[in-house]
Amino acid sequence: MSSLPTHEDVLAAAARLAGRVVRTPMLRHPALDAAAGGTVLVKPEPLQRTGSFKFRGATNAVLRLSEEQRAAGVVTHSSGNHGQALACAAASEGVKALIAMPKDAPSIKVESTRRWGAEITFFDRLSTDREALANRLAEERGAALIPPFDHPDVIAGQGSVALELIEDAKAAGLRLDALAVCTGGGGLIAGCALAVEGASPGTEVIAAEPEGWDDTARSLAAGERLSADGKGATFCDALLSIRPGEITFAVNQPRLAGGVAVTPDEVLAAMRFAFDHLKLVVEPGGAVALAAVLAGRIPAKGRTVGVVISGGNVDPAVFARALA
């Protein structure tokens, strides 16, 4: 296993990313505070380049490549958001990218990945070991493998999300009691946990996952990496990792306060709420932390709670369902 990233790595990543990523604003709304019974501070990553937080980690990882690695290009596997982010980050630095994507990835994510000039190879989600495929492609090309979450530089870059929110909260005279983070493979929440550790000790960091895909919550409860049953709806396509990464779980296990799971109906309600009140277009996977707070799974009564809305790359038909 690679060496684990630290709070210092998150600070270094944030400095590296300054001026390259969007410093997304901290949003508040009286309707959200009223619904949650506390003070809710939203970090809206749909406003990030490529429409999700993933651009942060991908950019940090690309910037950390040697000249030799840049010349050989990068490879990853992704259902969409990391693929788009890596394609964009690589294009910004003049690096070639190859992305392995599931055949059933939302067309909006496939088109966006292509738009950044990446080469795409498709695989079957159910029958292919995507990690093995990406490893093989990277080896064949001598390219650097930059996986979606289980990579120290990716994790450190994602931590800039929480760092910014903590700073903006402080500027508003507030301190986070808890931070709710959408969780798939655990890269975003690992980065956030490392950011919180040094910048806001005492803030609880809580994983929010889709029902049936709550591998992080199960693993935290068991004290070891467990797989989700994978029987939940595939609606939150950005969060369908079967089990936490080795590196992400090693970072998260001693630092997270636990995890909660939300239903598809709660996710749809959160997407609608974000559209009505915050004027944000949010994809299902990006709405799970907000859903967890609105549904009372993460108590906000009398507390100040941060919510990371992680992405907005939603298929129009799915979004229409949320608004119906």
Side-chain angles (χ1 to χ4, degrees):
M1 187 165 69
S2 313
S3 63
L4 297 182
T6 63
H7 177 70
E8 283 62 40
D9 292 324
V10 175
L11 294 178
R16 207 174 283 123
L17 295 175
R20 291 175 186 268
V21 303
V22 176
R23 186 187 172 105
T24 52
M26 178 178 82
L27 302 181
R28 293 191 59 184
H29 199 287
L32 182 51
D33 288 355
T39 301
V40 184
L41 310 178
V42 172
K43 187 66 170 163
E45 288 295 292
L47 305 180
Q48 187 52 258
R49 284 186 77 187
T50 72
S52 88
F53 74 93
K54 293 278 191 182
F55 184 65
R56 296 170 182 269
T59 301
N60 190 50
V62 168
L63 291 173
R64 297 268 289 148
L65 295 174
S66 66
E67 283 309 315
E68 201 180 335
Q69 287 173 314
R70 284 174 179 231
V74 293
V75 169
T76 196
H77 60 87
S78 166
S79 63
N81 282 339
H82 176 66
Q84 293 174 75
L86 187 61
C88 178
S92 306
E93 295 299 312
V95 174
K96 290 198 303 270
L98 170 64
I99 318 293
M101 297 183 81
K103 284 182 196 146
D104 62 348
S107 60
I108 187 174
K109 296 184 179 182
V110 176
E111 283 155 27
S112 173
T113 304
R114 272 214 183 96
R115 204 177 305 128
W116 293 113
E119 186 186 337
I120 299 174
T121 182
F122 291 101
F123 63 85
D124 183 281
R125 189 190 287 274
L126 299 174
S127 63
T128 309
D129 178 337
R130 57 175 73 191
E131 286 170 25
L133 171 65
N135 277 319
R136 179 172 61 74
L137 292 170
E139 265 170 42
E140 281 171 7
R141 297 180 174 225
L145 180 67
I146 300 181
F149 52 84
D150 219 23
H151 188 292
D153 295 332
V154 170
I155 291 167
Q158 316 306 27
S160 60
V161 168
L163 224 43
E164 291 173 6
L165 185 60
I166 290 162
E167 287 168 6
D168 289 349
K170 207 171 275 181
L174 297 166
R175 193 194 148 279
L176 295 174
D177 293 306
L179 178 63
V181 185
C182 306
T183 305
L188 172 60
I189 197 167
C192 288
L194 291 170
V196 161
E197 183 172 67
S200 186
T203 296
E204 292 178 346
V205 182
I206 301 158
E209 297 173 287
E211 201 178 53
W213 299 92
D214 55 342
D215 47 294
T216 294
R218 291 175 193 220
S219 300
L220 289 170
E224 61 177 326
R225 286 164 72 218
L226 296 182
S227 297
D229 62 23
K231 289 185 181 137
T234 56
F235 179 55
C236 296
D237 64 278
L239 303 182
L240 306 185
S241 61
I242 284 286
R243 67 178 185 158
E246 258 186 88
I247 301 170
T248 57
F249 189 64
V251 170
N252 288 329
Q253 190 188 6
R255 293 175 178 87
L256 301 192
V260 298
V262 293
T263 67
D265 283 348
E266 287 164 347
V267 170
L268 285 166
M271 290 167 70
R272 177 68 197 247
F273 188 98
F275 179 73
D276 285 347
H277 301 291
L278 304 172
K279 305 306 165 199
L280 291 175
V281 172
V282 184
E283 66 187 279
V288 295
L290 179 62
V293 170
L294 288 171
R297 301 282 160 82
I298 294 173
K301 203 171 169 54
R303 305 208 298 166
T304 299
V305 177
V307 170
V308 178
I309 293 184
S310 57
N313 296 313
V314 59
D315 192 74
V318 172
F319 196 61
R321 216 177 120 192
L323 299 186

